[in-house]
Amino acid sequence: MGAWTDIQADIPDFLEARDERFLAKIPRIVSLAEKRIASECPIAGLHDESTVTTTSGNRVLDRPSTALAIRYVSLLIPGTGTRQLKARPSDWILQYWPDADETGVPKYWASYDAADLWIAPTPDAAYEVTIGYRKAPTTLSDSNEDNEIGERHYDLFLWACCAIGATFLLDDRRAGLIQAYEARYAQAKQSMLMNERMRSVDHYSQTKADER
């Protein structure tokens, strides 16, 4: 058995909801929980990168189709090196660089919509751009018992499923259960983020020790 088998039993048990209407929604609840966690948390195995090339005079970049959240955008400047572009809201980009036909070396990026990113200044040449992002895992199903979230962070996954699953309830317990499981999710998320930071520090310290 794996996370898929366990979560199909645990969601109805924790929410005390076993009617056919609710059980039919479990795959959707699971998918929504996976996407929420993947977009909010640095889960190992769910980071990816995409490399694109800018077009001179065009500030629009294609957002990677599998990206749930953009982590960074970097620009390779020939003869200089890599520049990490700073994230800004799209309306800030419009105020900072209102004339899209005016060009320069990009310094900033913004998420414009689900399909596009904007960079500013509008690029004055073809630059190689690396986009780092978080992607969704292969969702749990009858043919996929485990994934990165269900296998390594089941408690976080369970509370996310329960918080989302409670929104599908039709009785007067709905509001209280949403609040309770959102609190458990927040606590599990904080614990996971703290552990990830400690793991990163340990890895950095070990790397430095190996270099000595």
Side-chain angles (χ1 to χ4, degrees):
M1 293 195 305
W4 174 239
T5 297
D6 291 340
I7 203 67
Q8 289 183 93
D10 285 343
I11 294 173
D13 283 351
F14 278 87
L15 294 178
E16 297 182 355
R18 298 178 181 84
D19 60 277
E20 291 297 324
R21 181 199 66 84
F22 181 80
L23 295 178
K25 296 186 183 298
I26 287 180
R28 175 163 173 75
I29 292 168
V30 165
S31 178
L32 290 171
E34 290 169 335
K35 289 178 180 178
R36 177 181 182 181
I37 293 170
S39 66
E40 295 178 359
C41 304
I43 304 296
L46 297 183
H47 171 79
D48 208 347
E49 287 186 341
S50 175
T51 301
V52 297
T53 301
T54 65
T55 301
S56 179
N58 183 5
R59 67 181 172 193
V60 179
L61 296 177
D62 290 336
R63 181 187 178 98
S65 60
T66 57
L68 293 177
I70 305 297
R71 299 185 64 189
Y72 57 83
V73 178
S74 63
L75 185 83
L76 180 61
I77 304 173
T80 301
T82 300
R83 169 184 288 178
Q84 294 291 331
L85 304 190
K86 297 178 181 178
R88 294 290 187 269
S90 57
D91 56 352
W92 187 95
I93 296 288
L94 289 174
Q95 293 180 28
Y96 168 72
W97 206 259
D99 184 357
D101 293 329
E102 187 177 352
T103 62
V105 181
K107 298 179 181 178
Y108 305 97
W109 72 273
S111 287
Y112 176 64
D113 58 23
D116 296 325
L117 304 178
W118 279 359
I119 54 176
T122 302
D124 58 357
Y127 297 99
E128 182 179 295
V129 175
T130 299
I131 303 169
Y133 60 93
R134 293 173 183 157
K135 64 180 180 179
T138 302
T139 193
L140 296 178
S141 65
D142 290 340
S143 60
N144 185 46
E145 270 286 336
D146 274 310
N147 60 22
E148 294 87 346
I149 294 174
E151 184 176 2
R152 298 187 178 93
H153 305 284
Y154 188 80
D155 59 336
L156 182 71
F157 178 48
L158 173 60
W159 305 139
C161 285
C162 288
I164 293 169
T167 67
F168 290 90
L169 299 178
L170 300 178
D171 56 41
D172 56 8
R173 302 176 301 136
R174 182 176 184 271
L177 287 174
I178 292 173
Q179 182 178 6
Y181 285 118
E182 282 290 350
R184 292 191 183 188
Y185 171 77
Q187 184 177 13
K189 177 182 171 182
Q190 186 63 32
S191 177
M192 188 275 289
L193 292 174
M194 186 177 299
N195 289 337
E196 287 296 321
R197 283 194 292 269
M198 293 175 62
R199 191 174 293 112
S200 296
V201 170
D202 290 343
H203 176 73
Y204 177 79
S205 300
Q206 184 60 52
T207 300
K208 288 299 181 182
D210 292 341
E211 290 174 352
R212 295 192 187 105

